[in-house]
Amino acid sequence: MGKSLSEKVIAEHLVEGRMKPGEQIGLRIDHTLTQDATGTLAYLEFEAMGVPRVKTKLSLSFVDHNMLQNDFRNADDHRYLQGVAAKYGIVFSRPGNGICHQLYLERFARPAYTLLGSDSHTPMAGGMGMIALGAGGLDVAVAMAGELFYLEMPSIMGVKLTGTLSPFVSAKDVILEVLRRLTVRGGVGKVLEYFGAGVRTLSVPERGTIANMGTETGTTTSVFPSDEVTRAFLKGQGREDQWMELRADDGVKYSEVLEVNLKEIEPLMALPHSPDNVKTVSEAEGTPVDQVCIGSCTNSSLRDLKMVAALLKDKKINNNVSLTISSGSRQVLENLTASGELVHLIRAGARIIENACGPCIGIGQAPPTNGVSLRTFNRNFHGRSGTQNAKVYLVSPETAVASALHGEITDPRKLGKYPEISLPEKFMINDNMFIFPTEKVHAIEIVSGPNIKPLPSFKPIPDRLRGAVLLKLGDNVSTDDILPGGSEILSLRSNIPEISKYAFRYVDSSFADRALRKGGGFIVGGENYGQGSSREHAALAPKYLGVKAIIVKSFARIHFANLINFGIVPLTFVDKQDYMGIVQGDMLELDAKGLKKALRVKDVTRNVEMQVELDLSDRDRDVLKAGGKLAAVKYHSIG
Ligand code: MIC
Ligand code: SF4
């Protein structure tokens, strides 16, 4: 039987375990990436390990999230990150260079390599035929120290692309169609491996868009073959020597196959407040629009902004719409400037903002009260835009432009002539904003500002956990619900005591006080708890407030790993009906002795017992017993 592309790359990097879906495997990691919002913690953790220099082939540190410098805090973080990079042999991408995933795809991604990144959209590099995985910062720090990355072997789901996209339909619509079918949970435990004749009709940036937003299905990662299209892109980036062909064997048997005929897809959008709430654009046509934001790691490539420029050429946006455009990288901006296309954006009325995540993570550009905002981004979780009652729709760049011009949700097929877009054979390349490390490291002093606080340390898990249910939640709780973004909160990413005060801020503003007052306790939730971001703060903040265990119907992968890494016991109901019986405020008692797979929780208030499961590998069980990975890693002295 033939092998899938994913299995080939995984097999090449497999050091421990068997490639049997559901079993834990240990992979060698070639490249790592971090971004500033998760990076400061990751590097504090890395420093705590006492390793003199990173042991990967390449490690990169990007600054793209916390770009507002309202006071000293973010600037201090940037300076700290730059010092760490120089000292430990990490490539540093300076603030203003662009978004980590876009930059990585342009300048560093290479077929058949593995990448581990402290950002959930790291899988974007799967557009280049890599196994690229998102993880918490501590797991990335451990990989930088040369250790393996452990994960559950996913099953490999084939996504067969046939046909060709129609005019005004683009990669964003493809991934929205996949989300429509799979939902935000349908990819859990799987790799989405794209194959079929439709693949070669998509450029590398388009593949990147699809792999990027695959994250929203809960998938472990997404991957595309490396073919002649990949080769041409690498050649354009002056990196043809890094190309190799990579595809699944003929006769491969995927665990399941999703067939998507590109020809049949029409312009789609995700309605508020979930990326899988997908409808056709024509269904929502006519809704007045206040804001349109084009950018984010999903849709800010040169392909996308060339399309936007062509569609905006000689036009003017509607007077009631604020249009922001942020390119994914300095390279994109430079190419657009040199070709003269940037002028079309400016003349049409776009507000050109910095090459960064920006509005995607609530750093500026919050919509007005009850506003409708169309965004080419990947997440529209409640409140993420910074305006709690705003309605955010996720759309393609084509739909974004059509709606910005008309002032209401508009099917882009109404725009008339479809412009032919092609990528340059040779991109203008400028690596000036990367600082490459040198060998001389001893003289480097790392400067930490007053907002960069030491990591709290946690004790081993006691045999008996007792406490109240501090919060009972429903399905698909996102890490944005647990620990929101936005400029006020993001600037506290290096300060756990302070950021903890914001845990569940917009779900229940009294949570942090209550948790502290009650000496901690339990959280109860539904399916897919912790979907979304890789931020460790969503585990660290509850831990800091005394949360001992979280009992849910199911967890999202990265958050589950983060809970173990920071010593919160992640439990699932054996009988999902038991969820119904628990009421917020109930007193629970867990006999946690040995942290065995089968455990019992007693609801003391109601005098009922429930079976719960702690489904962990032996390695993770030891980590949890020690009170988290940092404690466990220290025992095993890496170096
Ligand atoms: C996101 O898109 O939610 C983020 C901000 O990029 C996060 C990382 C973070 O919270 O710093 C992610 O996706 O992992
Ligand atoms: Fe940045 Fe948004 Fe991409 Fe996250 S999803 S990396 S915040 S652009």
Side-chain angles (χ1 to χ4, degrees):
M1 199 174 74
K3 268 199 180 142
S4 66
L5 182 169
S6 313
E7 287 166 312
K8 290 184 192 183
V9 182
I10 291 173
E12 272 293 305
H13 293 83
L14 187 75
V15 181
E16 278 180 34
R18 291 183 309 160
M19 288 171 44
K20 231 175 129 226
E23 288 197 14
Q24 198 175 57
I25 53 170
L27 293 184
R28 196 165 25 80
I29 296 299
D30 297 318
H31 290 180
T32 61
L33 74 76
T34 56
Q35 40 86 345
D36 53 305
T38 55
T40 45
L41 271 196
Y43 293 112
L44 286 171
E45 290 152 358
F46 181 75
E47 286 196 285
M49 290 173 204
V51 181
R53 210 155 162 95
V54 291
K55 296 188 176 169
T56 47
K57 289 184 181 147
L58 178 71
S59 286
L60 300 124
S61 171
F62 295 88
V63 180
D64 53 3
H65 281 62
N66 282 328
M67 303 293 284
L68 267 193
Q69 291 165 218
N70 276 336
D71 60 22
F72 62 90
R73 285 178 293 198
N74 290 343
D76 282 0
D77 281 356
H78 301 169
R79 186 172 56 181
Y80 166 76
L81 292 169
Q82 185 165 344
V84 167
K87 178 155 184 174
Y88 294 105
I90 298 159
V91 177
F92 183 68
S93 172
R94 301 186 60 197
N97 200 19
I99 306 174
C100 55
H101 308 302
Q102 173 66 25
L103 286 166
Y104 183 80
L105 195 67
E106 289 169 357
R107 305 303 301 137
F108 304 99
R110 50 189 296 175
Y113 269 47
T114 51
L115 165 70
L116 191 70
S118 62
D119 191 281
S120 66
H121 292 104
T122 304
M124 178 159 173
M128 185 76 88
M130 300 184 69
I131 291 293
L133 303 154
L138 183 47
D139 283 325
V140 178
V142 169
M144 285 191 283
E147 299 286 302
L148 304 182
F149 175 62
Y150 293 94
L151 77 163
E152 241 180 44
M153 177 67 197
S155 61
I156 316 296
M157 175 175 189
V159 185
K160 183 174 182 186
L161 300 182
T162 57
T164 320
L165 289 171
S166 309
F168 296 104
V169 181
S170 65
K172 181 61 153 285
D173 301 304
V174 178
I175 189 60
L176 285 170
E177 171 63 13
V178 171
L179 265 156
R180 188 181 71 78
R181 296 210 224 157
L182 289 185
T183 78
V184 290
R185 304 208 278 272
V188 175
K190 301 170 190 171
V191 172
L192 302 189
E193 178 168 316
Y194 289 82
F195 71 106
V199 167
R200 62 172 172 270
T201 68
L202 300 171
S203 64
V204 168
E206 289 171 294
R207 297 173 187 184
T209 295
I210 295 170
N212 174 295
M213 204 172 165
T215 294
E216 273 52 66
T217 68
T219 180
T220 302
T221 191
S222 301
V223 64
F224 278 83
S226 168
D227 55 12
E228 286 303 322
V229 176
T230 320
R231 182 188 211 144
F233 181 81
L234 278 170
K235 189 170 178 200
Q237 293 287 341
R239 306 199 281 126
E240 193 181 3
D241 57 323
Q242 295 175 3
W243 179 78
M244 63 176 277
E245 191 186 11
L246 191 62
R247 62 182 179 89
D249 289 337
D250 295 335
V252 56
K253 241 186 140 23
Y254 291 110
S255 63
E256 53 196 307
V257 173
L258 189 75
E259 206 165 321
V260 179
N261 185 344
L262 300 177
K263 184 101 206 81
E264 283 168 7
I265 301 179
E266 52 178 302
L268 296 171
M269 64 198 322
L271 273 57
H273 296 284
S274 179
D276 63 357
N277 190 8
V278 177
K279 300 269 181 311
T280 62
V281 172
S282 54
E283 277 174 270
E285 259 196 317
T287 308
V289 172
D290 301 286
Q291 183 190 50
V292 174
C293 299
I294 297 175
S296 92
C297 54
T298 325
N299 276 123
S300 58
S301 66
L302 188 58
R303 179 268 164 212
D304 287 337
L305 294 201
K306 273 176 156 301
M307 175 58 74
V308 169
L311 295 174
L312 284 178
K313 186 167 185 270
D314 301 327
K315 306 225 171 77
K316 178 186 166 300
I317 58 166
N318 183 280
N319 284 346
N320 297 323
V321 174
S322 166
L323 169 66
T324 71
I325 300 182
S326 38
S327 62
S329 69
R330 197 159 277 269
Q331 184 189 97
V332 170
L333 198 58
E334 215 176 295
N335 280 271
L336 279 182
T337 311
S339 63
E341 287 155 296
L342 182 64
V343 88
H344 306 320
L345 311 184
I346 296 170
R347 283 196 72 88
R351 299 165 64 180
I352 310 292
I353 56 176
E354 196 168 13
N355 315 316
C357 301
C360 179
I361 190 57
I363 299 288
Q365 314 307 333
T369 302
N370 292 317
V372 169
S373 178
L374 263 59
R375 300 178 162 211
T376 65
F377 307 168
N378 48 31
R379 290 185 173 144
N380 58 347
F381 300 141
H382 199 253
R384 185 173 157 105
S385 66
T387 302
Q388 292 305 311
N389 55 16
K391 295 178 222 36
V392 175
Y393 294 67
L394 305 175
V395 298
S396 70
E398 291 80 354
T399 302
V401 171
S403 307
L405 292 172
H406 289 266
E408 55 185 41
I409 293 177
T410 305
D411 190 322
R413 291 172 296 188
K414 298 204 170 132
L415 284 177
K417 194 170 166 323
Y418 184 62
E420 286 302 328
I421 296 300
S422 60
L423 289 175
E425 264 177 42
K426 192 112 202 61
F427 292 80
M428 286 183 73
I429 298 161
N430 174 349
D431 288 339
N432 283 343
M433 295 285 274
F434 289 109
I435 302 177
F436 293 90
T438 60
E439 290 306 314
K440 295 194 202 82
V441 291
H442 32 272
I444 291 162
E445 193 203 344
I446 298 173
V447 188
S448 290
N451 185 49
I452 303 180
K453 300 286 184 217
L455 281 170
S457 62
F458 302 118
K459 298 201 178 67
I461 309 282
D463 286 349
R464 182 167 292 276
L465 300 178
R466 192 184 154 92
V469 176
L470 299 167
L471 202 56
K472 185 175 173 188
L473 302 153
D475 291 343
N476 299 323
V477 170
S478 77
T479 43
D480 278 302
D481 295 322
I482 305 171
L483 206 284
S487 58
E488 183 190 349
I489 307 179
L490 272 179
S491 62
L492 300 171
R493 284 290 183 95
S494 314
N495 186 341
I496 299 305
E498 274 307 306
I499 206 169
S500 297
K501 295 179 184 160
Y502 292 87
F504 293 105
R505 171 58 58 104
Y506 303 118
V507 174
D508 178 343
S509 57
S510 59
F511 174 80
D513 283 347
R514 188 168 64 248
L516 283 175
R517 209 177 48 246
K518 298 208 168 192
F522 293 73
I523 291 174
V524 171
E527 303 280 3
N528 202 25
Y529 180 85
Q531 69 158 333
S533 144
S534 65
R535 64 191 70 148
E536 295 176 297
H537 307 74
L540 262 164
K543 176 74 182 180
Y544 188 80
L545 297 172
V547 172
K548 299 165 187 176
I550 297 182
I551 315 173
V552 298
K553 294 180 186 168
S554 63
F555 286 99
R557 176 184 67 88
I558 304 178
H559 189 59
F560 182 73
N562 285 340
L563 291 173
I564 298 163
N565 285 350
F566 293 103
I568 294 185
V569 185
L571 300 166
T572 47
F573 290 105
V574 170
D575 180 355
K576 291 183 181 176
Q577 291 300 324
D578 286 339
Y579 166 87
M580 300 295 289
I582 303 182
V583 174
Q584 189 165 312
D586 283 1
M587 186 56 72
L588 301 187
E589 218 171 70
L590 170 75
D591 177 3
K593 197 151 189 255
L595 291 175
K596 294 191 281 292
K597 184 169 180 190
L599 293 171
R600 293 186 84 75
V601 175
K602 182 164 185 194
D603 187 328
V604 183
T605 313
R606 268 149 241 290
N607 198 20
V608 284
E609 282 211 339
M610 289 159 276
Q611 280 203 334
V612 289
E613 195 174 273
L614 182 59
D615 194 5
L616 300 180
S617 66
D618 291 345
R619 179 177 301 96
D620 286 343
R621 212 170 291 280
D622 287 346
V623 166
L624 192 57
K625 277 184 196 161
K629 196 172 228 162
L630 215 46
V633 160
K634 278 190 192 157
Y635 296 146
H636 296 110
S637 75
I638 290 179

